[in-house]
Amino acid sequence: LGGDSICYYGAGKAVNPETGAAVSFTGEESRVASSREGFYSVTAGGELYLADGQSITLIFACTSSDKGYFAFPRGAASDYGKLFVLDYANDRVAVMEDDITYISVKRPTAITADYAGNLYIAGKEGLFVIDADAISHEVNTLTGLAPVSYSGGSINSITYSEGALYYTSEGKAYRLEDGESVYVCDALAVRSEYFGGKLYFLRSDGIYKADYSYPSVSTQGAADFDVAA
């Protein structure tokens, strides 16, 4: 009900039967309600839209590919004054600044940076590197994304420490040397102190610092961790 007029919804439109005026929606609504601002609609996927006759605006989303929204994000990292969000199901990395830029990477799972301004991103199709300064504010127009050769499997965490890349895959930690993966230890995740300091490994019984043989932190069942700057 909108004021004293009755509208009905069907086939992606809300229609006033007296005047014939219609407001279009996305066509995936499960519920529609009128308001002074226009018509609110909810989709089966958990998105809330506002349609005012001129435009359709996404207000809220559980999962969405619209700009500024995410679908099953896998993590985030902050480097070089930017916030990077691994927007997993949307096959992209969101670069959050005053505006939002996207780096197209199939199913991104991990991200890190080195001293020289390079950003490393792991995904379903491998490991890639891009110059952080080359990221523009034009969506999906990046040309600097290059593959990095390595001999391991899928990467679930990655970090840069003391001149080398370290990553974890299937419960093991590796150091990347000239395209070859050198086994380091059994670990669920690897992190380093800010800008490549000492390494830390998450294992089943705790978090270990790389130069000690005992847990720095004893813990059970932890899925991930980070080292504060």
Side-chain angles (χ1 to χ4, degrees):
L1 299 178
D4 292 329
S5 23
I6 296 176
C7 293
Y8 64 88
Y9 170 76
K13 293 182 179 180
V15 180
N16 185 321
E18 296 182 355
T19 65
V23 176
S24 296
F25 295 90
T26 65
E28 299 176 353
E29 292 74 29
S30 59
R31 294 290 187 272
V32 173
S34 65
S35 73
R36 293 177 181 176
E37 295 83 12
F39 287 88
Y40 286 96
S41 63
V42 177
T43 71
E47 298 169 328
L48 174 66
Y49 289 90
L50 172 62
D52 60 7
Q54 303 297 321
S55 61
I56 301 174
T57 304
L58 180 61
I59 305 298
F60 173 83
C62 293
T63 60
S64 175
S65 60
D66 278 22
K67 187 173 183 180
Y69 292 84
F70 307 104
F72 303 102
R74 288 288 295 267
S78 178
D79 275 301
Y80 301 109
K82 302 176 177 67
L83 177 64
F84 303 94
V85 180
L86 302 173
D87 195 3
Y88 181 78
N90 282 328
D91 296 327
R92 65 192 186 186
V93 176
V95 185
M96 315 289 286
E97 297 181 275
D98 294 335
D99 197 3
I100 302 174
T101 303
Y102 292 106
I103 306 171
S104 294
V105 177
K106 187 74 171 178
R107 297 293 192 262
T109 56
I111 189 169
T112 194
D114 64 14
Y115 309 135
N118 296 308
L119 191 69
Y120 296 88
I121 306 170
K124 182 178 180 180
E125 296 177 338
L127 179 62
F128 302 90
V129 63
I130 185 172
D131 184 345
D133 291 333
I135 299 172
S136 69
H137 287 287
E138 298 180 12
V139 178
N140 297 333
T141 59
L142 299 169
T143 58
L145 198 64
V148 176
S149 176
Y150 79 105
S151 57
S154 60
I155 295 174
N156 64 281
S157 72
I158 189 169
T159 195
Y160 186 85
S161 177
E162 299 178 339
L165 282 171
Y166 292 80
Y167 70 90
T168 55
S169 175
E170 299 179 353
K172 299 182 183 300
Y174 300 89
R175 181 176 63 254
L176 188 59
E177 295 182 356
D178 299 324
E180 295 296 324
S181 299
V182 179
Y183 171 78
V184 177
C185 65
D186 287 357
L188 303 173
V190 59
R191 303 289 182 196
S192 65
E193 295 171 352
Y194 189 66
F195 262 98
K198 292 295 183 181
L199 278 169
Y200 292 80
F201 298 97
L202 174 64
R203 306 185 72 177
S204 59
D205 62 344
I207 298 169
Y208 289 75
K209 197 170 183 177
D211 53 359
Y212 292 106
S213 59
Y214 57 87
S216 300
V217 178
S218 296
T219 183
Q220 294 287 340
D224 201 359
F225 75 106
D226 204 354
V227 183

